[in-house]
Amino acid sequence: MLKKILSALLAVFIIAAANLANAQEAPDKMVQRISEEVMAIVRSDPAVQRGDPRKIRQVIEEKIVPNVDFDRATALATGRYWREATQEQKTQLQTEFRALLMHTYSGAMSQIHDQKINYEPYRADPADTDVEVFAKVLNTRGETVRFGYRLTKTPAGWKVYDVNVMGAWMGDVYRQSFAAEIQKSGIDGLIKVLADKNKRLAANPPQSQQR
C-alpha cells in the first residue's frame, strides 16, 4: 500500500513539475518546441503522412489543443456580440468554433511537408502578458509564407488565441463573417451555420498531399 501511495505521489510531482516548466517557458520557445514536435511526427509517422484523419486529430489533441485558448479565440471572433450572448449561446459558440478550428488545424496539418521554419527575432518585454511570434516557411510552390501567433499568458502558461497568415489575423477574418451572419439571423443563426459547416467538414476530411 505504501509503495502505491509513493508511486501516486511521484506521478503527481512529475506532472506538477512538467506543468510548472511549461508555465515558465517563453512564448517563442513554446511555439518553436510545439512546431518541432509536430514536424518530427510528420516525418516519422506513416499514418500522418497518409493523411489518416484519426491519427492527425490525435496529434492535434495531444500537441496543439492544450496550448490554445479556445475561450478567448471564440470571444475574439464573435466580437461585440459576445457580450450580448447568453451563457448557453456562449457555450454552444465555443463548442462549434472549437470544432471548426480543429477541422482547420487538421486541414493545415494534412498539407505539411518537411518544410523548414525560420523564426523571426522575438521582441517583447518580459513583463508582457500578450505577445506575437512570427515565422516564415516555404510552401510547396517555393513561395515564402509569413505567419504568426498571438499568445496570452495564463496561470497554466502561454496560450495561442489568434493566428496570422500572410498579414491577416484569423480573429479579424472570422469576426467579419460572424458579424454578417449574426446581423442576418442572430446568434442562434450563427451557431446553426457553424454546426452545419462542421458536419460537412466531418463528412469530408481533408486529403493529404504528402509525397
Side-chain angles (χ1 to χ4, degrees):
M1 177 63 74
L2 179 59
K3 185 176 181 181
K4 289 183 179 179
I5 293 175
L6 290 175
S7 297
L9 288 174
L10 179 60
V12 170
F13 174 79
I14 292 173
I15 293 171
N19 288 337
L20 179 60
N22 287 337
Q24 294 174 339
E25 188 176 23
D28 60 324
K29 299 303 181 184
M30 185 200 83
V31 169
Q32 291 182 38
R33 174 179 59 80
I34 296 170
S35 299
E36 290 170 1
E37 289 176 357
V38 171
M39 290 301 295
I41 293 173
V42 170
R43 296 187 190 103
S44 63
D45 195 314
V48 173
Q49 294 170 6
R50 291 194 303 270
D52 184 326
R54 287 179 295 182
K55 183 60 179 180
I56 288 176
R57 189 175 183 87
Q58 178 187 341
V59 174
I60 292 172
E61 289 281 2
E62 294 177 354
K63 296 296 182 181
I64 297 177
V65 168
N67 301 291
V68 177
D69 187 339
F70 288 103
D71 291 352
R72 181 163 181 179
T74 307
L76 179 66
T78 310
R80 65 183 179 87
Y81 296 103
W82 183 252
R83 296 188 297 273
E84 301 175 10
T86 65
Q87 187 54 53
E88 182 180 358
Q89 288 174 326
K90 288 180 178 179
T91 299
Q92 291 176 315
L93 281 170
Q94 289 171 346
T95 298
E96 296 302 339
F97 190 53
R98 184 185 188 280
L100 178 61
L101 291 178
M102 289 291 290
H103 289 304
T104 301
Y105 297 151
S106 295
M109 189 171 173
S110 70
Q111 306 307 315
I112 291 178
H113 296 253
D114 195 12
Q115 294 105 327
K116 178 176 176 55
I117 302 174
N118 295 308
Y119 292 91
E120 298 181 4
Y122 174 67
R123 296 183 177 88
D125 189 283
D128 289 344
T129 58
D130 200 289
V131 301
E132 296 176 357
V133 176
F134 282 93
K136 294 178 181 177
V137 67
L138 289 177
N139 64 16
T140 55
R141 296 189 296 275
E143 302 166 337
T144 299
V145 177
R146 186 172 187 258
F147 62 97
Y149 305 92
R150 279 179 175 155
L151 301 96
T152 184
K153 192 172 186 179
T154 75
W158 290 94
K159 302 286 185 179
V160 174
Y161 68 91
D162 201 2
V163 179
N164 183 297
V165 180
M166 299 180 68
W169 288 104
M170 294 298 97
D172 296 337
V173 174
Y174 280 122
R175 186 162 58 249
Q176 293 177 11
S177 63
F178 283 13
E181 189 59 47
I182 290 173
Q183 290 168 8
K184 182 174 66 175
S185 54
I187 294 175
D188 287 335
L190 171 61
I191 293 170
K192 183 179 185 305
V193 167
L194 292 176
D196 290 344
K197 184 171 184 178
N198 284 326
K199 289 177 182 177
R200 292 196 300 272
L201 290 172
N204 298 281
Q207 299 297 314
S208 173
Q209 292 183 5
Q210 297 281 347
R211 293 288 186 268

